[in-house]
């Protein structure tokens, strides 16, 4: 009896198509296995996803279950449900499924790998190519339709910019949201009055004005917020986006972002030049008049030019710390930012100057190194073991040989894959060697008044948690000869001098 999995997929663009509906696909598959005792259906994997990519949540779980030996048979309505990329579809049919001894059945194509022949191979390859071609034609048609809507001045997607909402009578039409439009006007006026975007963000937060995310969540436009407490404070990025959005002048501006033209399946976007935008004037009521909008753009452009000139005149000093500095309150990594003539590590909860952090680090590091050097002998085998390991690749080599021995893969495939694994193992050994040398050099450091190099810090300190402007918690890698991490708390009032 085959432990069988149904795989059903519907494209996001065809959610209204009854012929390709998830329900219809499941019914067809259940009808097929009815009265067939050889199939034991143990799971149904459903994706509302494009067939252009195989990186689909439920399909990846299906592949994982196949790798774990839970499934013996995969069943689909037709080959296009498996995927429309003919290269990857062929790879699954020709290599991946057979390698795991998984039977594959496409009901409408009358295709079953148990009855597979060379003639079937040609037919299936042709069908996969046609499915891929159909996807490209469908993608091009959708883009043409979208372009026509852009030229017509229809709002493309989403619920509309902050300050607007979609009309219930005509979803392609924007109407003013009078709950938030006054906030947009206030933001533009504050910018004209000389406030920075960060200053505007801070004032809006102090006034208790809900952020766009908070407001949209309150009216049900956002169903959930997977980012926790993010969006609870106004940010200068949100303010800047509002100040630069031409929709507030009453014009519909489409095509500000463009897709990759080389690869029809690519979802990557890039910013378009302004002369490529599709501007349809007077499509909705303006919140900001043209004169005010242009004045604000001139101010923003001057700010950009001033910032670029400042950066050119005062080149950035490299960050002396690796990515180990965190906030003890929210757990996020602190961002290093230059404020006038010094650097700060900061987030929404804490901040500390780079000078103070360096002083604390030197004090904590010297205390740690003294503990290391109290040991008269530090054997190499007592150093912390690097996290890099080649054991997984060696295991893969054994599995690869077993597949070759069992006839699951050809000799050519075996030799090619073996060469790749051998190269990876040698690379890991070299990385281990370099890592160990770095650790030996790090643990041989003597207490000093100066901050060590970044790579030395990375080999000794696992994490620095900043509690406030004066206090930090340091977590070190285990002392040589031990298996437990060593932690140390330091404050600006506790900076001993070197003996």
């Amino acid at each position: 009896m085959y432990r069988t999995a149904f795989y059903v997929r519907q494209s996001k663009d065809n959610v209204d198509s009854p012929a390709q509906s998830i329900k219809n696909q499941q019914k067809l598959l259940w009808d097929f296995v009815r009265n067939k005792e050889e199939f034991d259906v143990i799971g149904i994997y459903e994706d509302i996803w494009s067939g252009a990519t195989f990186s689909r949540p439920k399909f990846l779980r299906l592949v994982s279950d196949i790798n774990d030996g839970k499934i013996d048979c995969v069943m689909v309505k037709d080959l296009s449900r498996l995927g429309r990329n003919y290269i990857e579809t062929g790879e699954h049919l020709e290599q991946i499924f057979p390698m795991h001894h998984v039977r594959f059945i496409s009901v409408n194509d009358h295709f079953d790998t148990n009855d597979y022949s060379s003639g079937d191979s040609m037919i299936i390859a042709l069908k996969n190519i046609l499915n891929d071609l159909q996807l490209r034609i469908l993608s091009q048609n959708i883009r043409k339709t979208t372009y026509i809507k852009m030229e017509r001045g229809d709002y493309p997607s989403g619920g509309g910019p902050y300050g607007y909402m979609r009309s219930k009578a005509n979803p392609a039409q924007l109407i003013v949201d009078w709950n938030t439009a006054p906030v947009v006007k206030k933001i533009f006026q504050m910018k004209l009055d000389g406030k920075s975007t960060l200053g505007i963000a801070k004032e809006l937060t102090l006034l208790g004005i809900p952020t766009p995310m908070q407001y949209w969540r309150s009216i049900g436009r956002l169903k959930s917020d997977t980012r926790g407490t993010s969006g609870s404070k106004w940010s200068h990025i949100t303010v800047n986006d509002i100040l630069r959005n031409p929709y507030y002048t009453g014009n519909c501006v489409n095509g500000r972002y463009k897709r990759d033209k080389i690869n029809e399946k690519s979802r990557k976007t890039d910013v378009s030049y302004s002369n490529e935008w599709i501007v349809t004037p007077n499509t909705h009521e303006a919140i900001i008049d043209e004169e005010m909008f242009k004045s604000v753009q001139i101010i923003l452009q001057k700010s950009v030019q001033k910032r670029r000139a400042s950066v050119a005149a005062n080149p950035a000093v490299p960050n002396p710390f690796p990515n180990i500095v965190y906030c003890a309150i929210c757990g996020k990594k602190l961002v290093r930012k230059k404020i006038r003539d010094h650097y700060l590590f900061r987030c929404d909860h804490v901040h500390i100057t780079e000078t103070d952090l360096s002083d604390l680090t030197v004090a904590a590091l010297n205390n740690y190194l003294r503990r290391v050097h109290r040991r008269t002998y530090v054997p190499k085998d007592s150093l912390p073991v690097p996290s890099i390991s080649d054991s997984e690749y060696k295991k893969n080599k054994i599995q690869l040989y077993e597949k070759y021995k069992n006839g699951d893969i050809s000799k050519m495939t075996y030799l090619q894959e073996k060469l790749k694994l051998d190269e990876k193992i040698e690379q890991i050994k070299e990385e281990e060697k370099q890592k160990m040398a770095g650790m030996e050099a790090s643990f041989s450091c003597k207490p000093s008044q100066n901050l060590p190099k970044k790579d030395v810090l990375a080999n000794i300190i696992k994490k620095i948690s900043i509690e406030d402007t004066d206090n930090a918690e340091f977590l070190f890698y285990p002392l040589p000869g031990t298996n437990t991490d060593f932690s140390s708390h330091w404050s600006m009032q506790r900076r001993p001098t070197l003996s």
Side-chain angles (χ1 to χ4, degrees), residues 229 233 325-334 346-351 463-469 471-473:
T229 59
K233 292 183 179 181
V325 186
Y326 291 81
C327 171
I329 299 171
C330 67
K332 294 180 180 178
K333 285 183 181 178
L334 296 190
R346 60 183 293 179
C347 71
D348 292 336
H349 302 91
V350 300
H351 69 271
K463 184 178 182 181
I464 303 175
S465 298
I466 306 301
E467 299 169 359
D468 53 42
T469 53
N471 295 276
E473 183 80 21

Side-chain angles (χ1 to χ4, degrees), residues 189-202:
Q189 189 58 54
M190 283 194 286
K191 190 62 186 176
L192 281 180
D193 293 341
K195 271 191 173 293
S196 67
T197 53
L198 183 60
I200 295 171
K202 287 181 176 178

Side-chain angles (χ1 to χ4, degrees), residues 385-391 427-432 435:
V385 178
S387 59
I388 307 168
S389 174
D390 63 358
S391 59
Q427 178 188 341
I428 289 174
K429 285 181 179 178
E430 183 61 29
E431 289 175 3
E432 284 180 342
K435 181 79 172 177

